[in-house]
Amino acid sequence: MKASMYLWWARFYSKGKVWILLSPALILVVFLFLGGLGFGIAESLNYMPIIGLNDPNFDAYRAIFSDKGFYKSLLLTLHVAITPTLLSVACALAFGLVLRQSFRGKKVFTFLFSFNLPIPHVVGAIGILFLFSQSGFFARIGHALGWMDMPAEFPIIVNDPWAIGIIIEYVWKETPFIGVIVLAILQSIGEDYEAVAQTLGANRWQRFRYVLLPLVLPGVLIVSVAVMAFFFGDFVIPAILGQTYPAVLAVEAVKDYTHYDLRNHPIGVAQALVIAAIGTVLVFLYMWLNRKFVRSDG
Amino acid sequence: MNRIIRWFAMTMIIIWVVAPFIPLWLWSFSLRWRFPNLLPEVWSPRAWLYLLKPSSGVLDATIDSLVIAVVVTVVSVAIAIPAGRALGLYRFRGKRFMEFLILAPTIIPGLASVFGVHGLFLRYHLANSLVGVILVHLISSVTYATMVMWGVFSNYNPEFEEQGRVLGANPIRNFRYVTWPAIFPGIVVAALFSFLLSWYQYLLTLIIGGGKVQTLAMLLFNFARSGDRPVAGALSIIFMIPALIVLFVTSRYLTGENAAVSGLGGGR
Amino acid sequence: MTHLVLNELSQTYSNTDKPALDRLNLDIKSGMLNALLGPSGCGKTTAMKMIAGILTPTSGDILFDGKSVLAIPAERRGAVMVFQNYLLFPYMSVGENVGFGLKMARMNKATIEKKVLEMLELVQLPGVQNRKPSQLSGGQQQRIALARALIVEPKVLLLDEPLSNLDAHLRDEMRELIRDIQRKMGITTVFVTHDQEEAVMLADKIALIFEGVLQQYDEPDVFYNQPGSLRAAKFFGGVNFLDGEYAANQMTTELGTFSAPRSSLDTGPGVLSIRPEDIEFGTTNDGDNTISARVNSHVYVGTYTKYKIDVNDFRFEVIAEANTKESFPDGSNVTIRFPADKIWILPKG
Ligand SMILES: Nc1ncnc2c1ncn2[C@@H]1O[C@H](COP(=O)(O)OP(=O)(O)O)[C@@H](O)[C@H]1O
Ligand SMILES: [Mg+2]
């Protein structure tokens, strides 16, 4: 009896093991993530039978799309997601190219470079705030050097309309992250390809542009997409370093969702879903563009 | 030319690493520090002493943060090991879809699902509770931990387990003596990753905890916006302690790339 | 001492319809060493894993001393497999690796240590117990893997391609070591190889498998002298084949009729086969089974010379021992004889 049960289980497990192994993760994703998304969609459509709302409608979305402020927020959000991604990638490539050379102290600097990987964004934001506010550390240094007298003379960098403070924080935090990946890729590539290109007459720039870049880009693409997706939906940093109005979509959505007037709830939820939709489209667009770029020129 | 570029890059790296933390430390020990002074006018441990006081709520918030993060870490790793194994080791029908489903939370921001989750939790009395917060933290932690374990199992030879079995190890001992040591470095990465993700989580805790669950991340956010710079500075430093432990562990025990991956946890 | 029987043993992996192993029947007497021989991908490892108990058969049975072991999990079955790539646990010392099975059996430390030393002695690697597996050469790792399997005194020892990752002279050493230990301990052993020479040198009996199907299960010399099929003959190095019609001890072919008393069929279409070293050279075209031919080319390979000989559109390979036969220049006309007792008639196809 026991023996045949063992055989039954062995056969069953060998057939269904994948699903047995995946089931805990799947349950979590389906119930919490998809469940949350689904419930959110219903809420954004004002469809909540439990409290007597039986007729779904697009009121919340209409309210969003007819609001000028939404478009300002959207532009700002796109700016805050795309600009620091490109800047971080550029900085990461630059640091990667320097750090791959061999020189004295390379180990130390490589460690220092990766130092802020596990440091939280909030702390970075607070540091940036203390450094760049109009009475901040850099303003004081400016004063000490005799470049300015009053805090008001220091350029507005935090809580500013161009989101410079947010971008500085993002680039500060994510450059090392992308950079470490770049460095790992560069190390696995080695220098042979460039040597070959050099013997074929490629100059410095051409070796970078036509040999190194196409080799590095696919890997960089993956991480930078993850980074950009994060920027697009982030709340904390814009809430600390951003201006009050217009704020990025995530901040606006939270503002509406936590508003004391419950009628704003569906609008908040709808905005969150719009962020998710645009963010996802953006991610795919970005991957498509990059792939095209890599293919046609690489 | 090369040397100049290198010098410039090295200087930048030092500024990069040091600059944001100098004012944090200075502010945390200042009582009065007006423009345009380069150093505090009156030094004082006031902020630090304040944080030690029970009334500041730091102790309670630390305990909440720790409890949540530890539970999230243990559960995430426990779920991620089998899931990563399935994705890394086997090919099966519907795999692409499963990958997409499990990894979707990395691309679709937590904001998109958290309001709906809140609605659901309100109905099942999970909102405003520690359990609810832990559950919502699990979404992203499990996803990232699964990614790590997936990578581990992609480079894993399951025949070692078969070898263990035929040599007389039952499934439990086989896991203990064969599988566990082989995947242990990956588990460390996944665990650090999950812990930091949960420790740093602000928005999901805010929405699901509804202000009833106060974590360190929430406290710090509030101080960051309150304008009490000495306290914000001091709390920032306390808040970073797990990150410093992670740095230490990764630099000691893990190779560069793993360290990078675990560092990603700090970003989210 | 275990009598191992495989009864209609089959395995169909879930992602395919075609069985990786199709109704394999083997009967391996106690203490015998049998080989599973066949090209890569034919299902040899699959068969081993089922015997070991880490893969559940789709159908069929495995019997140890007449009792089915299907319901006994791998860890209690007593069939130990040594994998092709050794699989020494990299985070354990060599000694811990060898002692692993005893630790799983909860034997006490002192006994384990003593037995480990004995085993290392047996595989002729004394004193390496404190090293890490990565500090050993491939051949040494193979011996450690063998010691790790033998220490649990298995009922059945399964060796998956034990020699294929070794270079030539290590292979000879290892082969002898395996043979010696197997004889000494009398363990029923199955070993896998894709190299027919290896199988012939080591095995009491060889199971030849193609695409999951058992082709022939016989003593080694039978595969040379009386292969059961054209494919089997080719796998064992046969190169000279001639289609024809067989009847009454006579093989009628395009090149004439040959008397051939040895045959695997009674009558009908067949294939004449003869090994290169069995063909005789001559210059006179009389006597039976003799035909005129022309030397196409030859290569001198030290102890023998290998000729390519043309007869009309057919080409034969002939091996002539360097010192026993005169040499024939390329392009010269010769006669070749197929001795009747060396011809073997195979079924066609
Ligand atoms: N786990 C598996 N899943 C699916 N097919 C497999 C698996 N293992 C082996 N196969 C297939 O079964 C056949 C036999 O494989 P194997 O027993 O490893 O051959 P051999 O050891 O003779 O080289 C091959 O075609 C192989 O691709
Ligand atoms: Mg094999």
Side-chain angles (χ1 to χ4, degrees), chain C residues 40-41 43-46 84 160-161 192:
Chain C
S40 168
K44 306 179 297 284
T45 302
T46 302
Q84 187 168 359
D160 194 354
E161 306 255 4
V192 159

Coordinates of all heavy atoms in Angstrom, one line a residue, chain C residues 40-41 43-46 84 160-161 192, ligand 2:
Chain C
S40 N 25.4 8.3 -28.8 CA 24.9 9.3 -27.9 C 23.5 9.6 -28.2 O 23.0 9.7 -29.3 CB 25.8 10.5 -28.1 OG 25.2 11.6 -27.4
G41 N 22.7 9.7 -27.1 CA 21.3 10.0 -27.2 C 20.4 8.8 -27.4 O 19.2 8.9 -27.7
G43 N 19.6 6.5 -25.2 CA 18.8 6.2 -24.0 C 19.5 5.4 -23.0 O 18.9 4.9 -22.0
K44 N 20.8 5.4 -23.0 CA 21.6 4.6 -22.1 C 21.5 5.2 -20.7 O 21.2 4.6 -19.7 CB 23.1 4.6 -22.5 CG 23.3 4.1 -23.9 CD 24.8 4.1 -24.3 CE 25.4 5.5 -24.3 NZ 25.1 6.3 -25.5
T45 N 21.7 6.6 -20.6 CA 21.7 7.2 -19.3 C 20.2 7.1 -18.7 O 20.1 6.9 -17.5 CB 22.1 8.7 -19.4 OG1 23.4 8.8 -19.9 CG2 22.0 9.4 -18.1
T46 N 19.3 7.2 -19.6 CA 17.9 7.1 -19.2 C 17.7 5.7 -18.5 O 17.1 5.6 -17.4 CB 17.0 7.2 -20.4 OG1 17.2 8.5 -21.0 CG2 15.5 7.0 -20.0
Q84 N 28.5 10.5 -15.4 CA 29.5 10.8 -16.4 C 30.5 11.9 -16.1 O 31.7 11.8 -16.3 CB 28.8 11.2 -17.7 CG 29.6 11.3 -18.9 CD 28.8 11.4 -20.2 OE1 27.6 11.4 -20.1 NE2 29.4 11.5 -21.3
D160 N 28.2 5.5 -15.6 CA 27.8 6.2 -16.8 C 29.0 6.7 -17.5 O 29.6 7.7 -17.1 CB 26.8 7.3 -16.5 CG 26.1 7.7 -17.8 OD1 26.4 7.3 -18.9 OD2 25.1 8.5 -17.7
E161 N 29.4 6.2 -18.6 CA 30.5 6.6 -19.4 C 31.7 6.9 -18.5 O 32.3 8.0 -18.5 CB 30.2 7.9 -20.2 CG 28.9 7.8 -21.0 CD 29.2 7.7 -22.5 OE1 30.4 7.6 -22.9 OE2 28.3 7.6 -23.3
V192 N 28.0 2.1 -19.0 CA 27.5 2.7 -20.3 C 28.7 3.2 -21.1 O 29.7 3.7 -20.5 CB 26.6 3.9 -19.9 CG1 26.5 4.8 -21.1 CG2 25.3 3.4 -19.5
Ligands
MG2 MG 24.5 9.7 -21.4

